[in-house]
Amino acid sequence: MRTLHSAGALLLGLSLLAASPAYAADAPPRQPMTIGTALPPGENGRVTAVDQARGMANGDYGPHTEDQRVLYWDGRYKDGRFQATGTPESLPGARVYRDGFGTPAIYGDSSYATWYGAGYSAGEDRLFLADGVRHVAEGTYAELVGPSGVPADIQTRTLTYSDADYAAMFAALPAESQNVLKAYVAGLNAYIQHVKTTPTELPAEYALLTTVPNDWTLKDTLASGVLLTRFVAASGGEEFREVELLRALQKSLGAEPGLKAFNDVRWQRDQKATVTVPPAEGRFANNDPVPASQRDAVYRKSAAYALALPPELATGPGTGAAAAPTTPAGLPAPVRSSVQNMIGSLNAFRANLHGGSYMFTVSGKRTSTGAPMLVNGPQLGYTFPTELYEQEVHGGGYDARGVTVPGVPTVAIGYGTNVAWGMTTGYSKTIDSFIETTRRTGGKLEYFHNGAWVPADCRTETVKYRAAQQGVPFGPAVFSQDAEVCRTVHGPIVAFSKDGTKARSVDYAMYHRELENINGILQWDRAKNLAQFEAGVRQMTWNENVMYAGTDGHIGYWHPGLYPRRSPKWDTRFPAPGTGEYDNNGPLPFDALPHSVDPKVGYLANWNNKPAQGWVDDYLDPASSRSAGKAVRVQTIELALAAAPKLTPTALRAMEFRIGTTDHRAADFKPLLVGAGGSTAIQKKAIALVRAWNGRSYGSGAGTSSTSYDDVNVTDGPGPTVFRRWMDDLRDVVLADLPHDVVVAADNRGGHVYDGTPADNLVLRNLVPAKSSLTLSRSYLHGRSVRAVVLAALDRTIASLTKDYGADPAAWRDKHPRSTIDSLTGVIGPSRTMPYEDRGSWVQVIAFDAAPSRRVLGPPTAAPGRLPATGSTPLIPLAGLGLLALVTVVRRRRPRRG
């Protein structure tokens, strides 16, 4: 498991590093831009045993643990420009500076030294998180958490790679990418050796788990990189979810009506959906070679095949459904409770890796400065420590600052001296399920493909795990469980039918090519202009939306990655026969993928939405709100940009905060309620409250009752309260024909509490057909007028609010939802709640200078009803700030935000 890096290689790398020169020579490169960033709750992700004891006593868990929390919730930012502050920490060939918020800036004498320093500082800030990521990534999670981790490890071993695979993938990388990876591994491993000899600096989680970190290897970083691409930048493989949806609709509505209603709920081609590429810039077709006249026949054939498949193909050892082994019990209850909480939290972390986020960029022709602006906010939830962390690198041709994930080198999202970029999860389908016909011959697995029986590529994986007493792991990983892992031409087999004649394999478009993404990102970290940046985008194999802005005046958007050419004979929403007839036929060329550079409209926005008109939605994920309809959260950004022909940096700062505190459904649905007028006195009073509301989801615009972030009983005003409850009632009234569990699943907002879901868009298509290009299979209104339906839902809302708060509408105030900033382990470090905002887990806001000046960042005008920031660290005034931002990685499964 640990053959790709050794202590000898570490010593060799260290011998190549020159002695560190005097740090006075380190000068931050000039940046013609203003930059604001915020990483709540803070940069520091390490809590030692001493820190934990002090924090439990007085709430102080150490410097920079929570010093950006209030800053962020206020809608303010710290200065994000390059820095070399104070006296640096000296490493071989590199210096690590820390600014007033603890953000590391690494200055190296070479590329190797720079990334060595990046690895070392990653250990300082996120060692335990990096350790958890590598255990998940390599399928050694059970060696950390005990038997409960075995099913996840079997799934990981099934879906990922052997040592030989990783070695071959590494050997195929360019020399510079190999150099960066080796250096980072050496630096991170050096820090691990340091804490092993300085136990007072060891994160407290290790003491609670009675373990210490293993040496870091090259495979650890390679596997962590594969994990991130798989969980953040790849979607699909859930065709059996669609099969169960179709089955539920047919059971409730009847075979033929259910077959037709499926396309109402899981539509693919709404040409009026809100998209990122402006329609005037062109259409992009991904997978629609089937003539319209044949679509229904292909759909029916595919659905009939899928409905007849054994249901056990939906789950299997390769989906995480293997049974967990058991071990004896018997620890004291207080110890058992604390450690069980930690194991539960770590398992939840593993199950909820995901990606999402928002970004937008504006060209100089629509800004007051005449220069581009960019904003990006990754939405990974709020945890301690944060799953992303901020860093800065200089040396060997690299000048970049932004965020990344511990265990993997690169500044994944951020900015350089002349360019800025952001990313969001693409959510186009890049994983397909194939149903193999299988048999055993002489005990060997075979599958039928292209008219012949082919031996499967199988190996035995041994999963080791620690013992556990009543759920609490202890001791070394001396227990083990074997698992057979097999692949076909399509990919790894994740499940078998009970009789062994069928198996489900999953085809990853990126298979064996995940590590190529490091080549593209390292190109961004050195780019100076659009051409150099796009050269990096062309090397990406994952499906992450990318945006650009630069001093060259250009803005751009790409929906890159390896997107498969699929068979025109099959509906991609369902698992396909693996006999060869329906195989994918290589990826689409880069230039055929959605993209736009310098659009005439002057801006681009994305919030995990449909990339362009003409793009078929093979994968609609309710929790990501990739609902491919009109009423989606990115519309809030596009409407704000369209209404601002000359954005100022100050207005842009306010816009970043405003889009995260807006009810994204208000633009389409509020006019329906207000327009209904009301027939009764109480209806008119309720509608008047909504009419007076400005669409904000939090703060003075929402009538929020308190400005204290610690007040867990904060309520929102009557206007938003009526609207939100009415939205739920409207959904139930309009979609009453559908099974309730189907409607609830289609209304899953994940972490986007006020987003327009697939269910909301289906409601909108019923009430305002002109907002969709699709035709419904049935009349969900059953002859009722739109006004009658709107008021019927309002009557339900009025009844429920009267029951809860009495007859006076002024008293109708629901509690505002809270965001939990939980300790990753559930035990170590701070845990608290804050008022819900639909914003990035990290945000960056960038405006390029109109002239070569160094404008500074300062606080925007205080939002009404919000608390000022606290703390002794001064903030640099956000004087002419603009937008940039970031979005990326980790945490995924159901439910997920986007």
Side-chain angles (χ1 to χ4, degrees), residues 113-387:
T114 300
W115 292 104
Y116 176 94
Y120 194 91
S121 64
E124 291 179 310
D125 290 343
R126 294 292 187 280
L127 176 58
F128 184 74
L129 180 57
D131 205 358
V133 168
R134 70 164 161 178
H135 278 292
V136 171
E138 293 183 47
T140 59
Y141 197 51
E143 296 179 21
L144 183 67
V145 303
S148 62
V150 169
D153 285 349
I154 292 175
Q155 180 186 21
T156 298
R157 305 285 184 94
T158 299
L159 296 178
T160 58
Y161 303 114
S162 66
D163 285 8
D165 290 325
Y166 280 118
M169 293 162 71
F170 177 75
L173 293 174
E176 175 58 12
S177 294
Q178 293 186 14
N179 173 63
V180 168
L181 287 163
K182 289 177 181 178
Y184 186 89
V185 167
L188 184 48
N189 206 35
Y191 182 73
I192 289 175
Q193 309 315 310
H194 168 74
V195 294
K196 283 183 176 180
T197 59
T198 315
T200 55
E201 296 184 24
L202 192 68
E205 291 90 346
Y206 289 106
L208 199 56
L209 287 171
T210 64
T211 187
V212 294
N214 293 326
D215 292 351
W216 196 270
T217 71
L218 182 56
K219 180 188 173 183
D220 292 337
T221 286
L222 300 181
S224 296
V226 169
L227 173 77
L228 299 177
T229 60
R230 289 288 186 87
F231 278 89
V232 175
S235 299
E238 300 193 37
E239 294 85 355
F240 275 89
R241 180 194 64 183
E242 310 299 76
V243 176
E244 290 309 307
L245 170 63
L246 175 57
R247 204 184 306 278
L249 289 170
Q250 290 190 318
K251 180 180 179 181
S252 176
L253 304 176
E256 182 62 18
L259 196 67
K260 292 180 177 179
F262 179 84
N263 282 322
D264 291 344
V265 180
R266 288 287 194 268
W267 63 92
Q268 293 187 292
R269 300 173 178 86
D270 192 343
Q271 301 307 321
K272 293 186 178 181
T274 305
V275 296
T276 294
V277 176
E281 301 295 316
R283 295 165 57 87
F284 294 86
N286 54 333
N287 190 46
D288 203 17
V290 185
S293 61
Q294 298 178 24
R295 288 176 190 160
D296 186 63
V298 168
Y299 164 56
R300 289 174 180 272
K301 177 181 71 173
S302 304
Y305 172 83
L307 287 168
L309 291 172
E312 61 266 25
L313 291 174
T315 58
T319 68
T326 58
T327 55
L331 276 184
V335 176
R336 182 172 69 247
S337 176
S338 294
V339 183
Q340 283 176 335
N341 286 340
M342 174 183 281
I343 299 306
S345 296
L346 289 173
N347 284 336
F349 162 74
R350 191 262 171 205
N352 287 287
L353 289 172
H354 63 66
S357 318
Y358 57 87
M359 61 184 176
F360 55 101
T361 184
V362 188
S363 77
K365 69 181 182 180
R366 293 188 66 94
T367 68
S368 62
T369 62
M373 299 176 177
L374 187 148
V375 168
N376 189 202
Q379 295 187 282
L380 311 176
Y382 304 106
T383 58
F384 174 81
T386 56
E387 294 166 5

Side-chain angles (χ1 to χ4, degrees), residues 683-737:
Q683 286 178 345
K684 292 178 181 179
K685 287 183 179 179
I687 290 173
L689 293 171
V690 174
R691 182 185 295 111
W693 169 56
N694 68 357
R696 297 296 292 275
S697 61
Y698 178 69
S700 60
T704 303
S705 63
S706 172
T707 60
S708 171
Y709 292 145
D710 295 328
D711 184 357
V712 298
N713 295 311
V714 169
T715 60
D716 290 327
T721 296
V722 171
F723 179 78
R724 294 164 192 167
R725 290 218 190 180
W726 171 76
M727 283 295 302
D728 289 341
D729 290 324
L730 183 67
R731 175 202 65 199
D732 293 341
V733 169
V734 174
L735 303 183
D737 289 356

